């Protein structure tokens, strides 16, 4: 192993620790399983074998000194934080036989001082939406299932704006009424949701998937976890599945960590993106395994509101050691990006059978910029197109209009989106179906700073020609290399592939 390896603590609570085994060069799995042990007061408290670059340990005791030892790493010494209260939901009336435990959970949370643990014990606990508060650790240990009820009547509605006039809920980048999520946190600091349990969003049990783009009773579908204006949000160890729409949606959040999760939605569930950080900063996504019905990770920054408000930017996003299976895209930026998305790093990830690997999508009228995006040291296997950049994405009712789709230069103004400094490097793309890269800029705002280098590419023998992205007039491609249009001086070097397939479209 490299001398730069280290045990990087990501989430530490009174009863749980999630770490990253950083610097190994591994992607979503370690090359060789490693033994580990947890020691306290000179005795082994736990031990085992880790096969992935993330590890979650639960069953810790508050206020205790521990040492975590992993083969080939320096030991990590840590002290679990104190716990102000331990609150078992059963003590507030929660029952496995109850049709809806939302009131019991709310009663338990109401008693929780800052620094408390809300304990959801092993068992299946049905609930409607639950609202979290600052300083709370929601602990779902192995065997615990928080199961969303299917009755839409049990879901309160979040108004587009709160009483203070600030945005409270959103849908596809603009304020809108939405049903409250299974777990909802608004204006909350230092909330942690963690453990080896399960949160089931109940998507298949209700009617949520029958109306993906509509409203019912005046509101849009809920997420499974929604956080608005939260700081230091941390979610780790859990399996989160069966989401009604987007699975995890942080909006206007700062300093969030999502680690060692399984996000699992059926492949035919509509718009069930895995993780959608929107208008948020300083986000870490580490060791998450995605298999979803839409994009695995969709990084967004809203759309210009009807009153002309430009949403806040998204910046400083780090994606590491993730596995992304199926889905429309592995890591997707946009199409809601009016506030700008910058400084995104995707490294040491694996993408399997996603329609695209790294995908950037926008259109005239969105404004904002996408800049300083780097994907490196990844493996893509069976993807349609490894890098897709589309400035003519046909979203919204006018998406196929001439104003959006015309390839002639349009006037440049504040609503002209800009794309710059996109890097794809040191990555192996196996069994590509359509193209290694398809990059389409605007004639009036060409893409600059595109770099594709040190790539190894092979093509799927059973590939069928298809368009690389969603815009009018794109060619159907099979086994194409790198195709660019309206891109200024791209840097393309070190590409190992069967044929010379790098060209600029006329």
């Amino acid at each position: 192993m490299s001398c730069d390896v280290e045990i990087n603590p990501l989430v530490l609570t009174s009863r749980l620790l999630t770490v990253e085994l950083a610097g190994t060069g591994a992607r979503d799995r370690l090359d060789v399983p490693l033994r580990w042990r947890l020691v306290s007061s000179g005795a082994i408290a736990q031990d085992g074998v880790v096969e992935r670059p993330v590890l979650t340990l639960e069953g810790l005791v508050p206020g205790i000194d521990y040492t975590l030892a992993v083969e080939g790493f320096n030991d990590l010494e840590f002290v679990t934080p104190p716990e102000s209260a331990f609150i078992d939901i059963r003590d507030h009336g929660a029952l496995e036989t109850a049709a809806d435990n939302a009131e019991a959970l709310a009663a338990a949370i109401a008693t929780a001082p800052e620094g408390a643990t809300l304990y959801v014990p092993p068992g299946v606990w049905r609930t409607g939406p639950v609202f979290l508060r600052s300083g709370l650790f929601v602990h779902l240990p192995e065997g615990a299932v928080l199961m969303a009820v299917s009755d839409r009547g049990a879901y309160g509605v979040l108004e587009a704006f709160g009483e203070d006039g600030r945005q409270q809920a959103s849908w596809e980048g603009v304020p809108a009424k939405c049903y409250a999520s299974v777990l909802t946190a608004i204006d909350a600091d230092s909330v942690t949701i963690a453990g080896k349990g399960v949160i089931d969003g109940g998507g298949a049990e209700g009617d949520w998937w029958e109306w993906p783009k509509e409203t019912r009773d005046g509101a849009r579908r809920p997420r499974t976890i929604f956080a608005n204006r939260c700081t230091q949000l941390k979610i780790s160890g859990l399996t989160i599945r069966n989401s009604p729409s987007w699975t995890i949606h942080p909006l206007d959040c700062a300093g969030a960590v999502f680690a060692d999760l399984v996000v699992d939605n059926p492949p035919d569930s509509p718009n069930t993106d895995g993780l959608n950080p929107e208008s948020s900063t300083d986000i870490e996504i580490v060791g998450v395994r995605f298999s979803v019905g839409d994009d695995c990770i969709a990084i967004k920054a809203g759309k210009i509101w009807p009153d002309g408000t430009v949403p806040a930017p998204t910046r400083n996003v780090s994606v590491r050691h993730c596995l992304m299976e199926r889905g429309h895209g592995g890591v997707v930026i946009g199409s809601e990006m009016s506030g700008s998305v910058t400084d995104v790093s995707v490294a040491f990830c694996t993408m399997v059978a996603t329609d695209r690997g790294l995908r950037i999508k926008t259109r005239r009228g969105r404004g904002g910029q996408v800049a300083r995006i780097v994907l490196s040291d990844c493996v893509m296997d069976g993807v349609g197109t490894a890098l897709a950049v589309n400035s003519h994405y046909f979203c919204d009712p006018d998406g196929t209009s001439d104003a959006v789709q015309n390839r002639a230069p349009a006037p440049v103004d504040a609503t002209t989106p800009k794309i710059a400094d996109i890097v794809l490097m040191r990555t192996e793309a196996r069994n590509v179906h359509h193209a290694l890269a398809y990059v389409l800029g605007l004639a009036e705002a060409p893409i600059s700073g595109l770099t594709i280098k040190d790539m190894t590419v092979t093509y799927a023998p059973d590939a069928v020609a298809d368009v690389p992205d969603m815009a009018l007039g794109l060619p159907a491609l099979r086994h194409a290399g790198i195709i660019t249009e309206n891109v200024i001086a791209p840097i393309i070097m070190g590409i190992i592939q069967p044929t010379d397939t790098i060209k600029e479209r006329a």
Side-chain angles (χ1 to χ4, degrees):
M1 286 186 187
S2 164
C3 61
D4 296 327
V5 298
E6 63 174 351
I7 303 175
N8 177 26
L10 297 171
V11 178
L12 176 60
T13 75
S14 55
R15 296 175 181 268
L16 176 143
L17 171 72
T18 297
V19 300
E20 173 191 13
L21 304 180
T24 64
R27 294 181 179 91
D28 62 291
R29 298 189 68 84
L30 296 170
D31 295 334
V32 178
L34 300 175
R35 294 205 61 82
W36 61 267
R37 67 180 183 275
L38 183 68
V39 176
S40 180
S41 301
I44 296 177
Q46 299 180 30
D47 62 1
V49 174
V50 60
E51 297 182 344
R52 303 179 59 244
V54 285
L55 174 65
T56 296
L57 305 176
E58 55 185 7
L60 308 185
V61 178
I64 297 294
D65 293 353
Y66 287 98
T67 300
L68 175 61
V70 180
E71 288 181 81
F73 291 78
N74 291 329
D75 293 351
L76 174 68
E77 297 181 353
F78 65 96
V79 180
T80 49
E83 182 177 76
S84 63
F86 180 80
I87 301 170
D88 189 320
I89 62 171
R90 293 171 295 189
D91 295 336
H92 294 267
L95 297 169
E96 282 195 77
T97 56
D100 187 347
N101 283 293
E103 287 190 11
L105 286 164
I109 292 169
T111 69
E114 188 166 345
T117 296
L118 181 75
Y119 181 65
V120 182
V124 178
W125 308 92
R126 301 188 68 83
T127 185
V130 176
F131 288 79
L132 306 180
R133 59 195 299 181
S134 295
L136 186 66
F137 166 36
V138 181
H139 186 197
L140 287 87
E142 189 168 8
V145 179
L146 198 62
M147 177 74 198
V149 299
S150 59
D151 178 14
R152 185 156 35 90
Y155 288 74
V157 172
L158 296 177
E159 297 292 329
F161 296 94
E163 294 180 358
D164 58 4
R166 295 186 298 171
Q167 181 182 17
Q168 184 170 243
S170 79
W171 182 262
E172 295 188 348
V174 295
K177 289 184 177 181
C178 296
Y179 287 101
S181 299
V182 182
L183 294 180
T184 300
I186 298 176
D187 292 317
D189 302 323
S190 300
V191 171
T192 299
I193 309 165
K196 296 185 178 181
V198 174
I199 300 175
D200 191 307
E205 285 68 33
D207 66 356
W208 307 115
W209 296 341
E210 298 173 10
W211 46 289
K213 295 289 188 180
E214 304 168 25
T215 63
R216 291 200 173 175
D217 296 325
R220 300 283 191 169
R221 294 183 294 159
R223 287 60 163 167
T224 297
I225 299 176
F226 174 62
N228 185 8
R229 295 189 301 272
C230 294
T231 62
Q232 301 306 312
L233 171 69
K234 297 184 179 182
I235 304 177
S236 75
L238 300 163
T239 294
I240 307 172
R241 69 191 184 199
N242 199 21
S243 188
S245 62
W246 296 353
T247 308
I248 306 171
H249 180 202
L251 172 66
D252 285 313
C253 291
V257 175
F258 307 94
D260 194 17
L261 301 170
V262 174
V263 178
D264 188 14
N265 300 317
D268 59 349
S269 56
N271 302 112
T272 55
D273 296 9
L275 176 53
N276 292 32
E278 181 176 4
S279 294
S280 296
T281 59
D282 301 321
I283 307 296
E284 291 187 272
I285 305 170
V286 187
V288 181
R289 289 169 284 177
F290 295 94
S291 182
V292 295
D294 205 314
D295 297 326
C296 295
I297 299 172
I299 303 170
K300 300 176 180 292
K303 295 188 287 195
I304 299 172
W305 297 1
D307 68 358
T309 297
V310 177
T314 292
R315 57 178 182 268
N316 298 336
V317 179
S318 177
V319 182
R320 310 187 295 276
H321 306 300
C322 291
L323 171 63
M324 304 163 207
E325 296 182 288
R326 301 195 319 262
H328 295 176
V331 176
V332 178
I333 299 173
S335 63
E336 303 96 308
M337 44 67 68
S338 296
S340 297
V341 177
T342 62
D343 303 290
V344 176
S345 169
V346 182
F348 301 106
C349 292
T350 301
M351 303 176 188
V352 179
T354 57
D355 293 346
R356 294 110 186 151
L358 174 62
R359 184 185 189 190
I360 299 169
K361 50 185 182 178
T362 187
R363 48 154 285 183
R364 293 181 179 121
R366 285 286 157 91
Q369 66 167 331
V370 174
R372 300 183 297 281
I373 314 297
V374 178
L375 183 145
S376 66
D377 302 291
C378 293
V379 168
M380 303 178 187
D381 194 348
V383 302
T385 299
L387 171 64
V389 183
N390 180 5
S391 301
H392 291 273
Y393 184 63
F394 55 54
C395 54
D396 289 347
D398 66 339
T400 58
S401 67
D402 184 70
V404 175
Q405 294 299 325
N406 196 308
R407 299 302 197 266
V412 174
D413 59 23
T415 69
T416 304
K418 298 176 177 59
I419 299 175
D421 301 327
I422 311 300
V423 178
L424 177 65
M425 66 181 182
R426 296 195 304 273
T427 288
E428 182 180 359
R430 307 168 185 160
N431 298 307
V432 170
H433 286 246
H434 306 134
L436 171 56
Y438 192 91
V439 183
L440 173 61
L442 292 172
E444 67 272 19
I447 295 167
S448 63
L450 173 67
T451 299
I452 304 174
K453 65 179 182 179
D454 302 331
M455 299 278 297
T456 300
V457 186
T458 61
Y459 293 97
D462 60 346
V464 176
D466 203 350
V467 294
D469 213 323
M470 297 167 64
L472 299 183
L474 299 190
L477 301 175
R478 180 181 185 274
H479 295 182
I482 299 171
I483 299 174
T484 65
E485 182 175 351
N486 296 323
V487 178
I488 299 172
I491 298 173
I492 299 171
M493 57 189 296
I495 310 297
I496 301 174
Q497 57 182 358
T499 57
D500 180 12
T501 51
I502 301 170
K503 61 184 179 180
E504 167 82 15
R505 286 188 76 199

